[in-house]
Amino acid sequence: GLGDSHRVAFHPDGSYAVYLELSGVVHVYDWASGTDTPIDLDPPGSATLRLSDFDFDPSGDFGLLVGTRRDGSGAETGVLYRFDDAAWRAGTLASVLVAQPSADRAGTRFMATAYPWNSGLPMVLAQSGNSPYVATIRRYDPATGDFGSFIKARATGAGCEDLAFVNNEFGGEGVLLVCGLNGAEAPYWTSIGGVGEWRPGPASGSLGNVSRVEAHVGGDYALVINNSGGHVHRFGAGAWLVGSSSLWFRTRSLSGMGFQQDGRRALIVGRAGGSPPSAAVLEYRHDLFSMSEVADVSIAGFDSAPWLGDSSSSLKDVAFHPGCDGGLIVGGKSDYSSSRGWLIEFAIEGGTSCHVR
């Protein structure tokens, strides 16, 4: 009964994880018991809800869920929900996910959310229009349930899908957007000497359809996933490694990634491919940015039980369990007639077990 799933995040204490189906279903996975609780935010007969991203507040008291609701006329509204940790632990499911109507933005799509590495309010990425698109970043205040005064907008030739806090060349805070819908752009907003500026990023031909970005711990650099050509680009200290300087997995279509909390490694995941098909899983280790230093740890025989996948199946996101060497991968496939998903546990061989209590 699990549908196509594409985002996953662990609570900071590792006791449970939250992951999202592309449709309006949120799942809470208890780590110790292995039990799964779905919460459907889009019951039959209601407007269509597409969930985009989820992130826990560093305190662990709550999480933020963003998405887009489309009504019967096709009008879109960016929506935000607050996930209440205390309600979840108390078993009051009706109060776990609470809509924050003051954060709604008509005519926009909420695509992603991220927290800064230092203390500060989280950022929400919104997208509106279509050729050209308009990307907007706003600070969201969880205490008031509304957006603050910070707002920066930029017209883009491609639709933006993700953002991350990445430091500029002086160590100051900046926000990198990746935009890969119907084109390729990666604008960067930062402030130098108190003066804010947008930077355009590399030419689209060297980027490809970039769809995911994940920053290394502290924001010293970020890895950017190109979902159309198997490239992994790097951005840090205001400079890009693209084109021949990027990683290029020629036979792989990549979808997402996740860093371990201490920054030692990341897993990069993507579409199943080859004959017989294997589901793409690549192990990147911190600062070893060369093809020979990335280990291919793909899931072989992905067309066989228990996976029963095919070449239209993709692994889409990774979350490491805090304090150990393992975690969860989510993915799935959708077509005109059905949707199915995977929730996969992984472990690093020889690492610290996530099941030792």
Side-chain angles (χ1 to χ4, degrees):
L2 177 61
D4 196 350
S5 302
H6 72 132
R7 289 292 187 274
V8 59
F10 272 98
H11 185 272
D13 70 6
S15 60
Y16 64 91
V18 172
Y19 67 103
L20 312 180
E21 292 188 30
L22 282 168
S23 63
V25 182
V26 179
H27 292 259
V28 186
Y29 181 77
D30 183 83
W31 185 255
S33 66
T35 55
D36 185 278
T37 303
I39 304 173
D40 193 348
L41 297 176
D42 197 16
S46 67
T48 300
L49 175 64
R50 184 179 178 89
L51 303 178
S52 299
D53 200 8
F54 179 87
D55 207 357
F56 273 107
D57 184 84
S59 69
D61 293 341
F62 61 90
L64 298 179
L65 169 68
V66 296
T68 304
R69 190 175 296 279
R70 178 178 294 177
D71 65 20
S73 67
E76 296 175 315
T77 300
V79 295
L80 188 149
Y81 289 79
R82 180 186 176 104
F83 180 99
D84 188 86
D85 176 72
W88 166 252
R89 294 179 190 272
T92 53
L93 289 184
S95 303
V96 171
L97 280 160
V98 179
Q100 307 294 289
S102 61
D104 290 358
R105 286 295 181 271
T108 66
R109 302 174 288 276
F110 283 177
M111 305 301 294
T113 182
Y115 274 84
W117 293 105
N118 301 315
S119 60
L121 297 177
M123 196 80 76
V124 173
L125 167 64
Q127 175 186 276
S128 59
N130 188 349
S131 298
Y133 298 88
V134 175
T136 305
I137 52 176
R138 300 173 183 265
R139 296 275 192 182
Y140 176 74
D141 188 345
T144 64
D146 204 350
F147 292 104
S149 59
F150 178 91
I151 175 173
K152 302 295 176 182
R154 180 182 175 86
T156 59
C160 298
E161 298 179 84
D162 203 5
L163 82 165
F165 283 90
V166 192
N167 301 337
N168 62 31
E169 59 269 38
F170 301 106
E173 184 177 274
V175 181
L176 178 64
L177 310 185
V178 292
C179 314
L181 291 173
N182 300 318
E185 289 192 35
Y188 179 66
W189 186 91
T190 191
S191 177
I192 306 295
V195 180
E197 61 181 55
W198 280 106
R199 301 179 185 176
S204 61
S206 61
L207 282 174
N209 298 111
V210 287
S211 58
R212 288 294 304 277
V213 55
E214 291 288 335
H216 184 254
V217 177
D220 53 334
Y221 68 90
L223 299 183
V224 175
I225 299 293
N226 165 357
N227 63 19
S228 60
H231 288 85
V232 179
H233 309 302
R234 175 169 165 151
F235 174 82
W240 280 90
L241 292 177
V242 295
S244 61
S245 299
S246 65
L247 303 178
W248 187 14
F249 302 93
R250 289 173 172 82
T251 62
R252 294 296 189 186
S253 177
L254 305 176
S255 305
M257 64 170 294
F259 270 103
Q260 198 163 10
Q261 282 81 0
D262 60 11
R264 283 182 294 155
R265 60 166 60 85
L267 288 185
I268 301 167
V269 296
R271 184 180 294 273
S275 182
S278 63
V281 185
L282 307 168
E283 183 191 8
Y284 163 87
R285 285 160 291 168
H286 170 55
D287 244 5
L288 302 180
F289 197 71
S290 72
M291 291 295 293
S292 62
E293 294 168 319
V294 175
D296 189 335
V297 291
S298 298
I299 302 174
F302 202 66
D303 59 336
S304 303
W307 318 107
L308 302 178
D310 56 29
S311 59
S312 64
S313 308
S314 289
L315 306 182
K316 297 177 179 176
D317 200 20
V318 178
F320 279 84
H321 189 289
C324 58
D325 294 319
L328 294 170
I329 299 171
V330 295
K333 59 171 290 187
S334 298
D335 55 35
Y336 66 92
S337 62
S338 64
S339 172
R340 63 177 303 187
W342 287 273
L343 176 68
I344 301 169
E345 182 181 339
F346 69 89
I348 305 296
E349 291 184 354
T352 301
S353 172
C354 295
H355 290 286
V356 175
R357 301 291 184 258

